[in-house]
Amino acid sequence: KAGVTQTPRYLIKTRGQQVTLSCSPISGHRSVSWYQQTPGQGLQFLFEYFSETQRNKGNFPGRFSGRQFSNSRSEMNVSTLELGDSALYLCASSLAGAPLMNTEAFFGQGTRLTVV
Amino acid sequence: QQQVKQSPQSLIVQKGGISIINCAYENTAFDYFPWYQQFPGKGPALLIAIRPDVSEKKEGRFTISFNKSAKQFSLHIMDSQPGDSATYFCAASKRDDKIIFGKGTRLHILP
């Protein structure tokens, strides 16, 4: 079965621009989470979507937003890019059915965003 | 506030040795403690996980030891191999909530 697919793999943007990243979860998975990975801070949680609704949110500014579609695919948008937004953005999907429980999160390979 | 503290940041171990990575957490509501392994250019992959009702879980050469009273857990890699060289993340979560990751440990196994 296909894994989590993130596109694009690499992206270079200029400060002030906006960017949209895409994540296709494993078939049947309804939960999609986004993480920012940087060398100094490790993996930081951005937000989680479940059945098209944002269920959890991390401590990132409003420039970071996301959405989930009816087929569970998710997009993350960052507006007004800053140099500090350069990072690996990882998407993870899980079953997270009801009743909700801790289930294994499967990560994609990430999108490497460089802001210049 | 960092809810999961991981140490050391980097670790070098001889082939055949034991690699030990430690984590401490603050939130007693956490009830799921996974460890993830990440190779360069790849996303993290679940290695092994434990729930607080057991003190130890072993899968092959990988063992999690869990101390609920101390709010600490650790990963032991027995007979460490060069192929184990990767970044390891401990994590914690509670039901219906996000996974909180430690900052990672870069493990290098000398051949």
Side-chain angles (χ1 to χ4, degrees):
Chain A
K1 124 176 156 175
V4 178
T5 303
Q6 290 188 247
T7 56
R9 289 291 312 279
Y10 303 93
L11 207 49
I12 299 176
K13 288 287 187 178
T14 303
R15 204 168 32 171
Q17 287 186 311
Q18 74 164 16
V19 66
T20 299
L21 312 181
S22 179
C23 172
S24 293
I26 292 171
S27 178
H29 285 194
R30 296 161 64 191
S31 169
V32 174
S33 298
W34 288 89
Y35 290 84
Q36 181 194 66
Q37 184 174 19
T38 56
Q41 296 301 316
L43 284 155
Q44 292 195 290
F45 175 78
L46 282 152
F47 28 66
E48 182 218 1
Y49 285 87
F50 178 80
S51 293
E52 302 179 66
T53 300
Q54 188 180 85
R55 187 166 67 174
N56 285 296
K57 189 176 187 306
N59 299 321
F60 277 80
R63 300 185 296 107
F64 292 81
S65 63
R67 59 177 175 169
Q68 187 179 34
F69 302 95
S70 58
N71 61 357
S72 293
R73 190 178 72 85
S74 177
E75 287 183 347
M76 189 191 95
N77 185 76
V78 188
S79 62
T80 319
L81 283 165
E82 301 176 359
L83 296 178
D85 297 333
S86 295
L88 179 67
Y89 289 88
L90 290 160
C91 158
S93 78
S94 67
L95 280 169
L100 297 172
M101 57 185 292
N102 310 107
T103 56
E104 178 179 356
F106 295 83
F107 282 85
Q109 289 190 282
T111 294
R112 172 75 61 187
L113 171 65
T114 301
V115 182
V116 297
Chain B
Q1 180 191 14
Q2 187 187 348
Q3 297 190 54
V4 179
K5 293 184 180 180
Q6 182 172 347
S7 62
Q9 278 189 308
S10 62
L11 182 62
I12 299 174
V13 175
Q14 291 280 355
K15 179 183 173 182
I18 302 174
S19 303
I20 301 174
I21 303 171
N22 300 299
C23 283
Y25 64 97
E26 299 167 2
N27 190 341
T28 55
F30 288 147
D31 61 1
Y32 178 65
F33 301 89
W35 284 88
Y36 282 80
Q37 178 188 56
Q38 184 179 29
F39 293 105
K42 302 288 186 182
L46 181 68
L47 188 63
I48 186 173
I50 197 169
R51 296 192 185 276
D53 51 346
V54 297
S55 60
E56 185 176 281
K57 183 173 181 180
K58 184 176 181 180
E59 290 184 1
R61 297 184 294 108
F62 300 90
T63 300
I64 299 178
S65 296
F66 187 83
N67 186 329
K68 188 174 181 178
S69 61
K71 293 189 287 185
Q72 295 176 344
F73 58 110
S74 60
L75 176 69
H76 291 64
I77 306 174
M78 312 300 287
D79 187 27
S80 299
Q81 299 297 311
D84 296 331
S85 296
T87 300
Y88 292 80
F89 294 93
C90 63
S93 73
K94 55 182 177 176
R95 193 165 295 191
D96 298 353
D97 207 352
K98 57 188 176 289
I99 301 175
I100 306 293
F101 287 86
K103 293 195 174 184
T105 296
R106 294 185 69 173
L107 173 65
H108 182 63
I109 308 300
L110 297 172

